[in-house]
């Protein structure tokens, strides 16, 4: 005991007692992250050849690491390296829960940062008389333009689309979450903002940041191994990494754009829908909708089917996190004649109803997420709504705006209820790795032993064969694999008597820059199969299944998500600004009718202009269908001319 006490002060003089990581530790840590993406990242060639970013070109990043002075600065470099992929499914997430909010939000309307939410429980109107529709000019002397540029690397969930990235950067101006931004803690206790009022003139206000959680500090004392990498690209390592599947949260955010909370805490809810934290008339909480049990052998399939945006934690309780996804209520107010069917109960997985447009009755259904608590309950509700709409409406609006995705196969199942005939389902090229070979082999053994359905056995057999072939031929990716069944071409749903259950009348699908992941897959199905008219703005472009790695970096203890595949379309599609491609990753789904919701006019009139526009578009489709009964949906010219390409490479 006496000897250990004597040695302790001497040991603390050794390098392992340093509070900061050493340069050697940073380089070894960074190479581990690079190795993780080098091994598993599916769209590597696409990002290199089409978008000009080569994740193997590590020298500029190593130069920055060598010059970094602190652990926080090093964290920032890791975040920016992954952000340079400009992939909405790929993020480096820091081990921090620090979050600071000004209790106001804004977004980009007509190219300007316009305030669209104010929490009056925190910002009393008598002290802070700025209003919805006013323009934010600067924060702490930095212009909004400069802030948008500097915060761009931290625009998690919208990196593929420049518009999405700018809008998410705008959200990061008034809320700083350190899990995504190592510099979030670089704020004073108070922020000074300058606001341009709609009535003219500018005003300056000082707001105290509302802070929760604990800021990042130094990583701490970590012993130095005897041998570490020298920072060259040849020292890639991915040891110690574990996989973890992550879904978005099912809570419903209540920051309705264009609204203020009352000083008594009341929240504007124009649709009359259930709000997270409340209950319906029967007192039935959403927690009672249990997740569906899944056999263990299905784990690899679930990873392949996971197309989910990363959700930020709901640090500020009922106000949710900064992720723009999952609200049961649309971004616009309902039409005046709207009659709610689903949405008022906590067990409702959708918002649905009907409204009048001239002599037509139109159906409306909002899909807030493709990760419901129970797919069984959700599919039952969706099927019932389609049956009702088939009998009682002339056309249907499906809203997947601000939908962060979830299960690609759940999206395919919902799409099936809008397809009157066989259609091209979900296909994906997968990065071939030893990890997948072992995973598929183990799952195949377990599936056979536990009497799994034959399609599961067939899928694992085919997957294993294609991964082995890709590895033998030294190819980066497999051929296109069917993800939701043994065939690329699912049949529409039928009842026990063989009656078609799908909706067969004209359909419009509403999309925006925050339509992401499996929500894009849903829109892709309907566009590629010429079934619906896509209305709105280009979707984000987050394609490919995503897997989380809980120990992406051993020294810095970060979490990373990696896109492991690339979604394949029915045929090459030419999106404005890009050449024709079989992939929508980084490109998104381009609408057949372009209509941008993000205008000051829509903000000020609660989306009335946008609602009128999609209502007119749908009634035009109904009139067209009535004069030509076989044309149940608008068929884009590029789709009529495109050559059908069979992508199934599995015998």
């Amino acid at each position: 005991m006496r000897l250990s006490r004597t040695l302790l002060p001497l040991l603390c003089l050794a390098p392992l007692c340093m509070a900061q990581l050493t340069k050697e530790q940073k380089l070894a840590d960074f190479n581990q992250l690079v190795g993780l993406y080098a091994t598993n990242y599916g769209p590597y060639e696409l990002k290199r050849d089409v978008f000009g970013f080569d994740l193997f070109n590590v020298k500029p990043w190593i130069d920055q690491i060598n010059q970094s002075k602190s652990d926080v600065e090093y964290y920032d470099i890791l975040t920016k390296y992954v952000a340079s992929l400009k992939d909405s499914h790929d993020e480096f997430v820091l081990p921090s829960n620090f979050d600071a909010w000004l209790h106001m939000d804004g977004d980009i309307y007509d190219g300007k940062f316009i305030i669209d939410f104010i929490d009056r429980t925190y910002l009393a109107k008598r002290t802070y008389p700025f209003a919805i529709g006013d323009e934010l000019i600067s924060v702490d002397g930095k212009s909004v333009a400069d802030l948008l540029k500097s915060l761009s690397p931290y625009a998690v969930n919208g990196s593929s689309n420049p518009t999405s990235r700018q809008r998410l950067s705008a959200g990061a101006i008034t809320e700083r979450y350190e899990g995504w931004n190592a510099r979030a803690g670089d704020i004073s206790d108070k922020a000074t903002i300058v606001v341009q009022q709609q009535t003219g003139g500018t005003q300056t206000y000082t707001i105290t940041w509302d802070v929760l959680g604990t800021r990042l500090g130094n990583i701490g004392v970590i012993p130095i191994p005897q041998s570490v990498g020298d920072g060259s690209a040849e020292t890639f390592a991915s040891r110690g990494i574990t996989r973890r599947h992550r879904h978005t949260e099912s809570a419903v955010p209540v920051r309705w754009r264009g609204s203020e909370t009352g000083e008594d805490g009341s929240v504007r809810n124009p649709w009359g829908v259930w709000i997270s934290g409340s209950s319906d008339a029967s007192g039935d909480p959403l927690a009672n909708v249990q997740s569906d049990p899944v056999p263990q052998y299905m784990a690899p399939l679930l990873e392949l089917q996971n197309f989910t945006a990363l959700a930020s934690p709901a640090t500020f309780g009922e106000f949710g996190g900064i992720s723009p996804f999952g609200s049961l209520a649309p971004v616009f107010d309902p039409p005046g004649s709207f009659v709610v069917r689903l949405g008022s109960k906590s067990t409702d997985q959708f918002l649905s109803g009907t409204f009048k447009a001239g002599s037509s009755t139109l159906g409306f259904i909002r899909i807030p997420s493709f990760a419901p608590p129970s797919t069984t309950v959700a599919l039952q509700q969706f099927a019932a709504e389609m049956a009702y709409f088939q009998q009682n409406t002339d056309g249907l609006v499906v809203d997947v705006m601000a939908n962060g995705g979830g299960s690609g196969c759940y999206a395919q199942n919902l799409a099936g209820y809008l397809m009157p005939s066989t259609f091209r389902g979900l296909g994906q090229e997968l990065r071939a790795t030893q990890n997948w070979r072992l995973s598929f082999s183990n799952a195949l053994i377990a599936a056979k032993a536990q009497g799994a359905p034959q399609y599961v056995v067939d899928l694992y057999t085919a997957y294993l064969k294609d991964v082995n072939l890709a590895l033998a031929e030294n190819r980066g990716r497999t051929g296109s694999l069917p993800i939701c069944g043994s065939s690329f071409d699912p049949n529409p749903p039928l009842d026990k008597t063989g009656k078609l259950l799908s909706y067969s009348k004209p359909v419009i699908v509403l999309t925006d820059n925050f339509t992401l992941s499996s929500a894009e897959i849903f829109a892709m199905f309907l566009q590629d199969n010429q079934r619906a008219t896509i209305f709105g703005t280009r979707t984000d472009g987050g394609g490919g299944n995503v897997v989380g790695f809980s120990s992406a970096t051993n020294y810095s203890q970060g979490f990373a998500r990696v896109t492991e595949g690339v979604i394949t379309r029915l045929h090459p599609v030419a999106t404005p600004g890009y050449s024709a491609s079989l992939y929508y990753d980084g490109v998104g789904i381009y609408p057949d009718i372009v209509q941008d919701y993000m205008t000051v006019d829509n903000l000020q009139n609660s989306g009335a202009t946008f609602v009128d526009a999609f209502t007119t578009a749908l009634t035009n489709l109904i009139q067209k269908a009535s004069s030509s009964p076989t044309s149940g949906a608008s068929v884009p010219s590029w789709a009529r001319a495109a050559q059908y390409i069979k992508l199934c490479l599995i015998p």
Side-chain angles (χ1 to χ4, degrees):
M1 181 67 71
R2 189 176 304 142
L3 178 63
S4 64
R5 287 173 178 166
T6 302
L7 288 177
L8 185 59
L10 297 176
L11 289 172
C12 286
L13 297 176
L16 65 81
C17 289
M18 295 177 65
Q20 306 279 354
L21 290 180
T22 67
K23 181 172 68 174
E24 292 78 13
Q25 287 173 328
K26 292 175 184 176
L27 292 174
D29 198 59
F30 173 69
N31 280 330
Q32 183 184 354
L33 183 67
V34 174
L36 173 66
Y37 280 90
T39 302
N40 297 282
Y41 187 65
Y44 164 69
E45 295 85 356
L46 189 66
K47 296 294 181 179
R48 181 196 61 196
D49 300 339
V50 178
F51 301 99
F53 178 74
D54 189 342
L55 65 85
F56 295 153
N57 182 19
V58 297
K59 186 179 184 306
W61 304 97
I62 289 175
D63 290 344
Q64 293 180 52
I65 291 169
N66 285 332
Q67 298 172 22
S68 63
K69 305 301 182 184
S70 69
D71 289 344
V72 170
E73 185 178 351
Y74 170 63
Y75 267 132
D76 196 49
I77 295 169
L78 296 182
T79 299
K80 289 178 177 177
Y81 170 73
V82 177
S84 295
L85 290 170
K86 292 184 170 58
D87 195 312
S88 296
H89 280 158
D90 295 78
E91 303 91 11
F92 181 78
V93 183
L94 285 61
S96 174
N97 65 349
F98 176 86
D99 201 354
W101 187 32
L102 294 178
H103 284 263
M104 56 181 286
D105 293 322
D107 209 327
I108 305 300
Y109 296 86
D110 293 329
K112 300 178 181 180
F113 185 110
I114 304 297
I115 297 170
D116 63 7
F117 175 83
I118 303 171
D119 174 18
R120 290 300 183 194
T121 64
Y122 192 84
L123 302 172
K125 197 164 189 175
R126 60 185 176 275
T127 307
Y128 302 99
F130 52 80
I132 302 298
D134 289 350
E135 180 184 356
L136 182 67
I137 301 298
S138 66
V139 178
D140 293 335
K142 295 181 180 179
S143 70
V144 164
D146 288 342
L147 287 168
L148 291 175
K149 184 177 181 179
S150 65
L151 292 171
S152 178
Y154 318 117
V156 170
N157 295 321
S159 297
S160 293
N161 185 323
T163 302
S164 307
R165 190 158 59 250
Q166 186 181 54
R167 292 181 60 190
L168 288 166
S169 299
I173 290 176
T174 56
E175 182 169 358
R176 310 290 174 89
Y177 171 51
E178 200 169 40
W180 297 348
N181 175 4
R183 300 294 189 182
D186 295 346
I187 56 174
S188 302
D189 292 339
K190 297 181 179 181
T192 300
I193 68 171
V194 177
V195 176
Q196 173 74 52
Q197 297 174 312
Q198 299 165 75
T199 55
T202 60
Q203 294 292 330
T204 301
Y205 304 93
T206 300
I207 304 174
T208 301
W209 287 98
D210 188 5
V211 174
L212 294 173
T214 304
R215 286 181 56 179
L216 276 173
N218 299 333
I219 291 172
V221 179
I222 299 178
I224 302 175
Q226 292 298 312
S227 176
V228 295
D230 62 0
S232 65
E234 287 72 27
T235 62
F236 293 158
S238 56
R239 58 193 178 278
I241 293 173
T242 56
R243 299 158 77 92
R244 184 172 68 188
H245 190 62
R246 176 174 287 196
H247 288 289
T248 51
E249 299 295 327
S250 59
V252 183
V254 294
R255 296 190 200 175
W256 277 286
R257 65 185 68 217
S259 68
E260 300 180 357
T261 61
E263 294 194 17
D264 61 353
S266 60
V267 181
R268 176 175 174 268
N269 186 343
W271 292 83
V273 302
W274 176 76
I275 300 175
S276 177
S278 66
S279 61
D280 60 14
S282 65
D284 185 17
L286 185 61
N288 286 347
V289 180
Q290 299 296 324
S291 298
D292 301 315
V294 179
Q296 184 60 36
Y297 61 73
M298 290 292 291
L301 278 179
L302 292 180
E303 284 192 359
L304 287 175
Q305 297 168 9
N306 180 37
F307 305 88
T308 311
L310 183 63
S312 60
T315 309
F316 291 94
E318 63 175 333
F319 294 107
I322 57 178
S323 299
F325 307 119
S327 174
L328 194 60
V331 296
F332 45 83
D333 279 5
S337 60
F338 189 77
V339 178
V340 175
R341 285 180 49 78
L342 293 179
S344 60
K345 297 180 180 180
S346 63
T347 51
D348 290 343
Q349 306 297 290
F350 309 93
L351 169 68
S352 68
T354 60
F355 63 103
K356 289 288 187 180
S359 60
S360 298
T361 299
L362 307 183
F364 177 91
I365 189 163
R366 169 156 176 76
I367 307 172
S369 165
F370 285 96
S374 169
T375 55
T376 300
V377 172
L379 286 171
Q380 290 171 347
Q381 290 184 2
F382 197 81
E385 291 307 282
M386 293 307 105
Y388 177 85
F389 289 146
Q390 181 68 24
Q391 296 298 319
N392 297 281
T393 66
D394 302 297
L396 178 63
V397 179
V398 182
D399 178 12
V400 291
M401 299 170 70
N403 181 317
S407 167
C409 293
Y410 171 65
Q412 179 173 301
N413 286 335
L414 292 192
Y417 282 98
L418 298 169
M419 301 283 191
S421 59
T422 299
F423 63 99
R424 172 35 159 78
L426 181 56
Q428 177 178 224
E429 296 175 6
L430 182 67
R431 177 65 62 185
T433 64
Q434 177 60 27
N435 240 348
W436 278 119
R437 175 153 57 187
L438 179 62
S439 182
F440 291 151
S441 181
N442 285 337
L444 178 60
I445 293 170
K448 289 179 177 179
Q450 297 174 34
Q454 188 59 42
Y455 87 90
V456 175
V457 174
D458 292 343
L459 276 181
Y460 283 138
T461 301
Y463 291 169
L464 183 58
K465 179 179 179 180
D466 217 61
V467 167
N468 283 333
L469 181 61
L471 291 172
E473 295 178 352
N474 199 28
R475 286 188 280 116
R477 294 197 301 265
T478 66
S480 189
L481 309 173
I483 301 302
C484 305
S486 56
S487 169
F488 279 102
D489 305 308
N491 293 315
L494 306 173
D495 67 12
K496 294 180 180 179
T497 67
K499 179 183 176 182
L500 182 68
L501 297 177
S502 300
Y503 187 80
S504 63
K505 298 176 183 180
V507 176
I508 274 185
V509 177
L510 306 181
T511 63
D512 67 354
N513 313 122
F514 293 154
T515 300
L516 181 63
S517 203
S518 56
E520 297 179 271
I521 293 171
F522 177 82
M524 178 191 73
F525 290 146
L526 294 165
Q527 187 180 70
D528 286 3
N529 290 282
Q530 307 176 24
R531 175 62 188 99
T533 295
I534 309 302
F535 182 100
T537 53
R538 177 162 70 97
T539 65
D540 185 72
N545 75 298
V546 59
V547 173
F549 292 80
S550 57
S551 298
T553 52
N554 288 338
Y555 285 118
S556 56
Q557 303 157 56
F559 171 87
R561 300 201 319 152
V562 184
T563 299
E564 297 194 337
V566 186
I567 300 298
T568 53
R569 303 193 69 165
L570 172 61
H571 41 62
V573 175
T575 299
Y578 302 91
S579 58
S581 175
L582 276 173
Y583 315 110
Y584 76 78
D585 190 290
V587 176
I589 308 300
Y590 196 79
D592 304 306
I593 299 176
V594 177
Q595 184 79 23
D596 191 0
Y597 178 84
M598 298 304 297
T599 66
V600 174
D601 172 62
N602 276 313
L603 176 63
Q604 292 175 337
N605 66 27
S606 302
T609 301
F610 186 78
V611 172
D612 288 345
F614 72 66
T615 300
T616 298
L618 183 53
T619 54
N620 288 341
L621 290 178
I622 293 169
Q623 293 172 5
K624 190 175 182 180
S626 65
S627 61
S628 178
T630 59
S631 62
S634 173
V635 181
S637 58
W638 59 261
R640 290 195 298 268
Q643 177 183 6
Y644 181 89
I645 297 178
K646 186 69 174 178
L647 295 172
C648 181
L649 301 182
I650 298 177

